[in-house]
Amino acid sequence: MSGIYLHIPFCKQACSYCDFYFVTQTSEREHFVQRLVDDIKSYKNTRFVEEKVNSIYFGGGTPSLLAPAQVEQVLDALNEVFDVASRETTLEMNPDDVTSSFLADIKSLGIDRASMGVQSFDPELLQFMNRAHNSEEARQCLELLSQSDFDTFTVDLIYGNPNQSVKQLKKDVKTLLSFAPPHISAYSLTIEPKTRLGKQVELGRIAPPEDDKVAEHFDIINQLFSSEGIERYEVSNYSVPGKEAIHNSSYWEHENYLGFGPGAHSFWWEDAAERWENEQDLRKYLRGEDHPQKEKLALEQLAEERLMMGLRTRKGVAFEEMESRYNYIFGDRQHAYLKRLVKEQKAMVDDRIILTDKGIKIADAIILDLVTLQ
Ligand code: SF4
């Protein structure tokens, strides 16, 4: 089963923390959609269309800057070329674009999951992150969603802002929970070098958030979500039972996916495994001149990736899967390390390895140790 990702690279303005590929010049939207449709159609009769499409994800950038008619053109092209049996079709949207008619229109086209980029309800934090929406719009979009026909939706929340107090965080979480979201993606703010925040840190104007503070925020979030029956199933993803995202899981489980649009990634594993990233260049994409380099992935590299992604999830990673799919057998030193993690209550180990709440907070360090002990 495969997933399809569509990168819609337009944004109204640059959020201060964002290092995704996007452009703030939005006048090329129509041209882009035509090119995207042609790009999708160029896959006709290729080996990539033999697998059923399990999930479709409009990400970005800001997909809600497209008109419903443009979304429809893209979906029509996908249906024409691929065997679409999508169990989940998601469209990311920003609060300031959402109206009840927009929601009704895209729902009628087959978008069955809305992903709302709220990030915070706090005016100061929204301004700090240079989001295009205000606090009122953040609430309003969730009200509109709850009155709409969408059965499921997800909301993005950012925590661990350098200036964010625990009081502000709790207020944000409580406001969010009052809308009973079936799914939440909660990310700790990471400061990337090429972003506006990265530059401010470099100039000494702001200090990056402290690890202790981020860990405290993580605990608060876990506890407040859990008290409403919303459980973490991956480091940054939480849901009520049965509402886990299908599309994201396909990345973690090395299922095949194709990415369309500038900067989109693809992964395909038939006999050999390959990955490629479209060039982050809208101009070239519009001219059909981007030629991504395919990278062949060795089994060992895939095994390490699977450990990295799988150990961030609540399902963890099964020894049997590592052996049969990746020919990866844990050595004595790794088993000894795992025993220590169990003793320290950082992991549970039987036929699979699952990191506990204590372990997940230092998942990156644990995974690195585990991989280097091989
Ligand atoms: S709207 Fe999303 S993609 Fe666009 S700049 Fe902000 S965070 Fe980045």
Side-chain angles (χ1 to χ4, degrees):
M1 286 288 183
S2 59
I4 286 184
Y5 174 80
L6 305 136
H7 192 77
I8 314 300
F10 303 103
C11 292
K12 283 184 188 160
Q13 62 191 53
C15 301
S16 59
Y17 56 88
C18 179
D19 78 336
F20 293 127
Y21 175 67
F22 66 92
V23 295
T24 48
Q25 171 61 264
T26 60
S27 57
E28 294 282 16
R29 278 175 288 180
E30 185 53 35
H31 187 185
F32 170 76
V33 170
Q34 295 316 319
R35 171 73 192 108
L36 186 59
V37 164
D38 289 346
D39 192 7
I40 293 167
K41 289 189 178 171
S42 73
Y43 277 72
K44 242 183 205 170
N45 304 322
T46 63
R47 66 190 166 108
F48 299 106
V49 303
E50 283 162 20
E51 279 193 30
K52 271 196 172 37
V53 173
N54 210 13
S55 64
I56 297 172
Y57 193 99
F58 287 78
T62 315
S64 52
L65 287 177
L66 297 184
Q70 293 171 321
V71 174
E72 186 174 21
Q73 287 175 56
V74 177
L75 289 172
D76 284 350
L78 289 173
N79 279 306
E80 186 185 319
V81 175
F82 292 92
D83 185 359
V84 177
S86 183
R87 288 163 51 213
E88 180 186 274
T89 305
T90 306
L91 189 131
E92 286 181 353
M93 44 191 99
N94 276 349
D96 43 316
D97 298 326
V98 174
T99 60
S100 51
S101 66
F102 179 80
L103 290 175
D105 287 349
I106 59 165
K107 180 75 180 40
S108 72
L109 297 174
I111 303 290
D112 52 21
R113 188 166 176 270
S115 173
M116 202 62 81
V118 167
Q119 320 306 353
S120 175
F121 300 90
D122 186 295
E124 254 177 57
L125 293 175
L126 288 170
Q127 203 177 9
F128 176 76
M129 293 189 277
N130 200 37
R131 295 289 305 182
H133 65 273
N134 60 32
S135 178
E136 185 48 35
E137 286 166 326
R139 279 173 227 271
Q140 221 167 40
C141 70
L142 295 180
E143 263 155 35
L144 289 175
L145 254 183
S146 53
Q147 291 155 12
S148 76
D149 286 343
F150 278 88
D151 297 330
T152 191
F153 64 91
T154 178
V155 182
D156 285 352
L157 185 81
I158 292 183
Y159 63 93
N161 260 293
N163 301 318
Q164 187 175 15
S165 66
V166 163
K167 197 172 159 202
Q168 275 175 311
L169 175 73
K170 285 187 175 167
K171 200 170 164 205
D172 256 357
V173 172
K174 284 191 178 145
T175 308
L176 173 55
L177 291 175
S178 71
F179 293 98
H183 187 285
I184 302 167
S185 294
Y187 303 99
S188 71
L189 185 85
T190 45
I191 299 192
E192 304 292 344
K194 284 186 192 147
T195 61
R196 192 200 294 191
L197 283 186
K199 300 258 163 18
Q200 287 179 331
V201 168
E202 206 181 298
L203 293 169
R205 292 198 188 129
I206 54 165
E210 287 153 16
D211 289 351
D212 286 358
K213 181 176 156 176
V214 176
E216 188 189 2
H217 281 200
F218 181 79
D219 285 340
I220 292 170
I221 278 179
N222 270 285
Q223 193 219 325
L224 292 176
F225 288 176
S226 183
S227 66
E228 295 293 319
I230 302 172
E231 300 293 345
R232 177 173 54 73
Y233 66 97
E234 196 264 350
V235 173
S236 312
N237 287 287
Y238 300 76
S239 83
V240 297
K243 294 290 186 185
E244 296 83 0
I246 295 172
H247 188 79
N248 286 357
S249 307
S250 67
Y251 296 150
W252 307 329
E253 293 178 7
H254 271 152
E255 284 176 22
N256 293 339
Y257 57 86
L258 289 177
F260 293 92
H265 292 254
S266 301
F267 172 82
W268 207 266
W269 188 358
E270 263 179 48
D271 301 327
E274 291 178 323
R275 173 173 295 125
W276 61 99
E277 181 191 355
N278 294 350
E279 278 187 71
Q280 297 193 352
D281 189 329
L282 177 62
R283 300 264 138 245
K284 276 193 179 177
Y285 186 76
L286 291 178
R287 293 197 299 262
E289 285 173 3
D290 58 326
H291 301 291
Q293 294 292 321
K294 291 195 174 175
E295 179 197 2
K296 285 226 180 319
L297 303 161
L299 204 52
E300 194 186 342
Q301 190 179 349
L302 290 164
E304 289 183 359
E305 274 182 8
R306 176 70 187 114
L307 276 179
M308 278 182 217
M309 297 185 291
L311 288 180
R312 288 187 167 91
T313 67
R314 191 169 283 279
K315 274 204 248 166
V317 174
F319 289 104
E320 200 277 323
E321 181 201 346
M322 292 306 295
E323 193 173 335
S324 61
R325 195 169 181 209
Y326 301 91
N327 196 21
Y328 190 94
I329 296 167
F330 286 77
D332 291 345
R333 292 196 305 157
Q334 288 175 304
H335 281 295
Y337 179 68
L338 289 174
K339 250 189 199 160
R340 208 179 85 203
L341 291 181
V342 173
K343 214 166 150 197
E344 293 168 355
Q345 297 176 341
K346 291 177 183 152
M348 296 180 290
V349 181
D350 45 29
D351 56 345
R352 49 177 62 237
I353 312 166
I354 297 173
L355 298 188
T356 61
D357 280 349
K358 198 172 166 192
I360 207 92
K361 275 195 254 178
I362 49 162
D364 288 349
I366 289 179
I367 294 161
L368 189 68
D369 284 347
L370 195 60
V371 164
T372 46
L373 285 171
Q374 167 75 341

